[in-house]
Amino acid sequence: MSRSLSPEDRRELGRLTKILTQKVVQVVVQSRLGEKAHTRSKSPVQGSDWFNLGIEDIGEIQQETKKGLGGHLPEKGKPLVVEIMLRTPTLDSLVLELWTLTVLDACDTSPARINPTIYNRMTVLLKSLLSVTRITPAYKLAFRQGPDSFIICYRVYLGDPDYECLDLRREPRCMSALHHLSSRPPVNPTLQNQQQQPERKISVAFVDAKPPKPDDFFLPDIPFSNLLTSTVEVQGKGEREAAAPQTQEKGAGGVATVEGGEKVAMTGSDGSHKSTASAQLKEEADFVMVELKTPFAGMQDAGNDLGTFYRECQNAPQLRMFADTPEDEISDLTEQLLTFEGYVDDYNELVRSLHSEESPGSSQ
Amino acid sequence: MNANTQVLELNVEGRQVDEAVLSLFHTLLFHRSTGKFHYKNDNTYAVGTIGFQDVDCDFIDFTYVRCSSEQLDRSIRREVSGFCEAIRAPDAPPSGQVALEFYQRKRGRWPFATESIPWEVWTLRVNVVSLNNEHERQIWREKVGESLGERLLRITDTLNRHDYIPSPPNQSDIDYIYDTNYPDVQPFLFKVNYTVSAPSNPSTTTTIKKLLKDTLAL
C-alpha cells in the first residue's frame, strides 16, 4: 500500500538526498586522489558525522559539487554524474569512469520511513560505494599519477552522462537502489558506475593529439585474405593513427595504400617515410608474400614460417656433392678412361683365354 | 525465521587464503557495523562514527575497506586463522568452507537458556590450488583480485537489497543484537565457523547413478 509523503517527510527526504549527493561525490573523488584512506572511529560524545561514517569533507570538492549542482538536486531524467578523467601534460584527456546517482520512476510499497530507515539505507549505500571504488582499475591508476605522466581530474554535473566517451562493451553496474514509500513522485536513487576498458586508456592516452572519439579508436577488422588480393586503403586523421600502430610512423594525415603486391606507396604529410615491408614487396615482383605474425608461429622459430620456406625453395642452392667436387679429380678420371681404352686388346685376350680354359669343363 | 544465506566460491593459493577470506569478511563487517550507541534514556540514543581504512593485500592484487578498529581486526583474524591453518596443513584436503554468521539472541523461557538465531549467513567455499612457478603465481595474483572484486560486487548487491536486519533495540536489549565489547565500533553479533573436508566427486556419483539406471532399464 502506498501513501503520499507528508510535507515534513518530503523536506526531510530532500535534505538527506542533498547530503547523500555531496557524500557520494566526496567518496568517489577522494578515492581517486592516490592516497590511502584512514579515518578514525569516534564515539557520539566526540561529535557526530552524517551517516555515521568518517567521510572527511574536502572543501574544494564541496565547492565543485555545489557548482555542479547549481542549487538543484538529482531528479528523474537528471542524474548526478561524477566524471573521472585522465589528463596528460600535453592536455590530452580520456574519461575513465562515470559514476551516476539516478532517480528512477518506480515505487516501493514497503513501509519504509524516512528516518531512520532511509537514512540507514543511504548509510549502507555509502559503505558499498567506499568498497566498490577500490576495485575498479582507476583506483590503482590514481596511485601512478605524476606531473610528468598524467593526473586524474573530475567533473560534477547534473544531466545525461556522456556514455559515448566510454567503451560500451562493459555494462554499467547498478550498485544500489534505495526505495522509500511514496506515491508521487517516487524517488529511487540508484548508483551506477561505468568504466573504460583499462588497456585502451593506457594505449591511447599518451599518443593521441586530440581528445579521442571511441568510434575512431580502432580500424575496422580486415580479413587477412584481403591484404593479399585486393586494395586496402587506410586513411587516418590523427585520431585514427593514435590507435593504429601500422600508421603511427607516418605523421598526421598519412595515407597508406597496398596494391596487389605490384605497387606499394606510402604518402605521409612529409612523404619521407617508407616501411620496410614495401622494400621487400618491390624485390619480389612476381608474387607477394607478406610475413604475417601468426599466433601459432613462435617468434624464435622462424624456420617454420611458410614465407621463409617458400623463398628458400624458390632460390634453391646448388647440390653440395657438385659444389664440393674438385676439377682436377674430374680430369684424372678422363685420363684413366683413355689408359683403359689403350689396353682394350689385352683385356679381350684375357677374356678369351678364360673362355677357352672353361670350355673342357663345360663339355663334361 | 529463515536466515538469508549466501554462498561464495573462491579458488586461491594456500598463501592467499587468509587475505581472500579477510577481505570479504571485513567488507561484510564494515556494512554490518554501526558507530557506538550512547543511550540518553532507554530508547533514545546517539550513534558514533565508524572510521574506515584501506587495506592492501600482499599476495593478491586487491584493496579492501575495513572498519578502523584494531580490536575488531584482531578478533576476526583470530577466528579466520584456525580455518587457514587447517586448510594449509600438509595432509589437509584441498577445500573447505568458512562461514560468517550474524545472529541475534533471544531470551528463552524458563528453564531454557538464551537461544541464538542466525539472520544472515555468508559461506565461503575455498578451494586451494597449487601452482608450479612464479610466473603462474603472478597471473594468479591478478586473477584472484578480479575474482574477489566480483564477489564483493555480489556482496554489495545483496546488502543493498534491504532484507531483514534486526531493529535497533532498547538499552536493556542491546547485547542481544550487537557486540558491545569493542570500544570504537559496534558490529551485529557474529561468529565464524568452518569445516575442512575432502571434496565430493560429482562425476563418480553421476557414473554410479547412470550404471544403476542402465541396469534397471535392462
Side-chain angles (χ1 to χ4, degrees):
Chain A
M1 195 180 86
S2 67
R3 63 172 171 81
S4 53
L5 287 174
S6 67
E8 196 181 325
D9 279 350
R10 194 173 295 281
R11 208 168 33 248
E12 181 65 12
L13 181 64
R15 189 160 146 263
L16 287 182
T17 307
K18 186 182 172 187
I19 310 280
L20 175 74
T21 305
Q22 287 169 351
K23 292 293 180 186
V24 163
V25 179
Q26 290 283 347
V27 169
V28 172
V29 176
Q30 285 185 27
S31 70
R32 302 299 179 249
L33 293 176
E35 294 166 3
K36 291 284 169 200
H38 190 173
T39 59
R40 285 193 318 147
S41 299
K42 288 188 280 189
S43 71
V45 288
Q46 291 173 289
S48 58
D49 290 283
W50 275 105
F51 302 109
N52 311 111
L53 271 172
I55 303 168
E56 291 164 359
D57 291 343
I58 295 177
E60 189 189 323
I61 300 171
Q62 212 161 12
Q63 288 302 317
E64 285 299 317
T65 310
K66 276 183 187 167
K67 218 187 290 178
L69 292 173
H72 297 91
L73 283 178
E75 56 189 55
K76 192 189 157 198
K78 216 174 179 186
L80 167 83
V81 183
V82 186
E83 195 176 280
I84 302 293
M85 79 176 82
L86 177 150
R87 182 169 287 172
T88 65
T90 52
L91 299 181
D92 299 331
S93 61
L94 177 73
V95 177
L96 301 174
E97 295 174 322
L98 289 173
W99 295 85
T100 60
L101 185 68
T102 312
V103 178
L104 298 177
D105 187 9
C107 189
D108 181 36
T109 54
S110 64
R113 289 178 297 157
I114 301 299
N115 215 342
T117 312
I118 295 299
Y119 183 86
N120 288 341
R121 288 178 182 180
M122 286 179 174
T123 306
V124 174
L125 169 68
L126 283 171
K127 286 175 178 173
S128 295
L129 184 62
L130 277 162
S131 300
V132 172
T133 46
R134 272 65 179 169
I135 65 168
T136 61
Y139 176 74
K140 287 172 197 153
L141 205 60
F143 286 89
R144 297 186 213 149
Q145 291 181 84
D148 300 330
S149 53
F150 63 85
I151 53 166
I152 289 184
C153 308
Y154 68 97
R155 192 159 68 101
V156 182
Y157 58 91
L158 281 178
D160 288 329
D162 182 16
Y163 286 126
E164 282 190 9
C165 63
L166 285 176
D167 178 6
L168 294 176
R169 279 180 294 177
R170 282 197 177 185
E171 288 293 312
R173 293 293 298 241
C174 181
M175 253 181 57
S176 170
L178 296 176
H179 301 278
H180 71 88
L181 185 62
S182 170
S183 62
R184 190 176 53 139
V187 183
N188 291 332
T190 65
L191 194 60
Q192 287 189 332
N193 166 242
Q194 186 156 24
Q195 51 184 296
Q196 188 71 266
Q197 289 279 24
E199 54 276 9
R200 178 174 290 184
K201 70 195 172 201
I202 303 286
S203 62
V204 174
F206 299 99
V207 183
D208 209 352
K210 293 176 183 176
K213 291 179 180 175
D215 293 341
D216 296 332
F217 274 175
F218 293 111
L219 296 170
D221 288 338
I222 302 166
F224 282 137
S225 56
N226 289 0
L227 293 171
L228 295 174
T229 56
S230 61
T231 301
V232 179
E233 191 167 294
V234 183
Q235 191 155 7
K237 287 185 181 177
E239 290 165 4
R240 292 186 183 190
E241 284 170 20
Q246 62 267 44
T247 60
Q248 276 181 14
E249 61 179 340
K250 300 197 309 303
V255 177
T257 311
V258 182
E259 284 186 11
E262 290 184 5
K263 179 184 152 196
V264 175
M266 281 194 150
T267 317
S269 57
D270 56 357
S272 62
H273 295 277
K274 300 271 183 187
S275 75
T276 52
S278 68
Q280 285 179 359
L281 293 170
K282 276 185 176 177
E283 281 171 14
E284 297 175 19
D286 57 339
F287 195 79
V288 182
M289 186 63 69
V290 180
E291 276 191 62
L292 297 174
K293 295 280 183 282
T294 46
F296 45 82
M299 292 292 285
Q300 294 167 353
D301 195 11
N304 290 336
D305 185 70
L306 185 62
T308 313
F309 173 73
Y310 174 79
R311 273 192 291 278
E312 279 178 4
C313 289
Q314 208 176 31
N315 304 314
Q318 197 178 18
L319 281 173
R320 191 179 293 172
M321 63 178 293
F322 293 117
D324 296 345
T325 310
E327 284 184 13
D328 56 343
E329 201 173 302
I330 294 168
S331 62
D332 281 355
L333 280 171
T334 316
E335 283 174 18
Q336 221 173 349
L337 281 170
L338 286 171
T339 313
F340 289 152
E341 278 180 11
Y343 290 110
V344 162
D345 292 339
D346 294 341
Y347 294 144
N348 285 340
E349 189 63 31
L350 179 67
V351 171
R352 268 197 296 275
S353 68
L354 289 171
H355 182 70
S356 62
E357 281 174 10
E358 283 178 2
S359 299
S362 61
S363 63
Q364 282 179 355
Chain B
M1 184 178 68
N2 292 326
N4 177 10
T5 307
Q6 301 289 332
V7 181
L8 302 170
E9 189 147 359
L10 290 172
N11 296 317
V12 292
E13 215 190 344
R15 60 179 186 167
Q16 294 173 325
V17 176
D18 308 60
E19 288 181 334
V21 173
L22 282 173
S23 64
L24 298 184
F25 280 5
H26 261 306
T27 301
L28 286 162
L29 283 167
F30 179 51
H31 282 79
R32 292 296 185 227
S33 297
T34 70
K36 292 287 283 183
F37 282 11
H38 181 78
Y39 282 91
K40 290 170 184 167
N41 54 51
D42 191 40
N43 53 12
T44 310
Y45 56 90
V47 184
T49 295
I50 300 184
F52 55 87
Q53 63 186 86
D54 293 337
V55 182
D56 289 332
C57 296
D58 290 328
F59 300 115
I60 309 170
D61 195 11
F62 193 69
T63 303
Y64 62 91
V65 177
R66 72 165 172 87
C67 297
S68 284
S69 169
E70 294 310 314
Q71 283 194 29
L72 179 64
D73 182 45
R74 272 201 296 276
S75 169
I76 192 73
R77 274 176 193 276
R78 194 171 50 242
E79 299 277 358
V80 168
S81 66
F83 170 71
C84 297
E85 281 166 20
I87 205 167
R88 276 201 300 256
D91 53 346
S95 64
Q97 57 184 39
V98 57
L100 177 62
E101 183 180 301
F102 294 100
Y103 66 97
Q104 63 186 101
R105 283 203 289 244
K106 285 222 165 147
R107 284 195 178 94
R109 288 185 180 175
W110 190 88
F112 300 106
T114 311
E115 58 176 335
S116 300
I117 301 166
W119 51 271
E120 190 172 83
V121 183
W122 291 86
T123 304
L124 304 184
R125 280 193 189 138
V126 181
N127 303 311
V128 178
V129 298
S130 49
L131 303 172
N132 295 322
N133 53 49
E134 199 52 38
H135 177 65
E136 284 183 4
R137 281 192 192 97
Q138 281 301 319
I139 294 170
W140 202 248
R141 178 189 159 88
E142 288 178 21
K143 270 195 174 179
V144 174
E146 286 170 19
S147 154
L148 284 177
E150 284 300 316
R151 305 297 181 279
L152 191 142
L153 282 172
R154 192 171 143 202
I155 287 173
T156 55
D157 282 348
T158 307
L159 296 180
N160 282 280
R161 280 207 309 254
H162 317 302
D163 292 325
Y164 174 79
I165 294 175
S167 303
N170 293 334
Q171 188 171 13
S172 54
D173 289 342
I174 189 165
D175 288 325
Y176 287 81
I177 305 290
Y178 292 107
D179 189 335
T180 54
N181 292 317
Y182 301 100
D184 33 23
V185 292
Q186 193 172 276
F188 283 108
L189 287 168
F190 68 92
K191 60 185 171 190
V192 173
N193 46 51
Y194 65 85
T195 54
V196 176
S197 59
S200 61
N201 190 344
S203 60
T204 314
T205 319
T206 316
T207 314
I208 292 167
K209 272 186 187 169
K210 193 171 179 297
L211 274 170
L212 283 170
K213 268 187 183 176
D214 290 348
T215 313
L216 289 170
L218 284 170

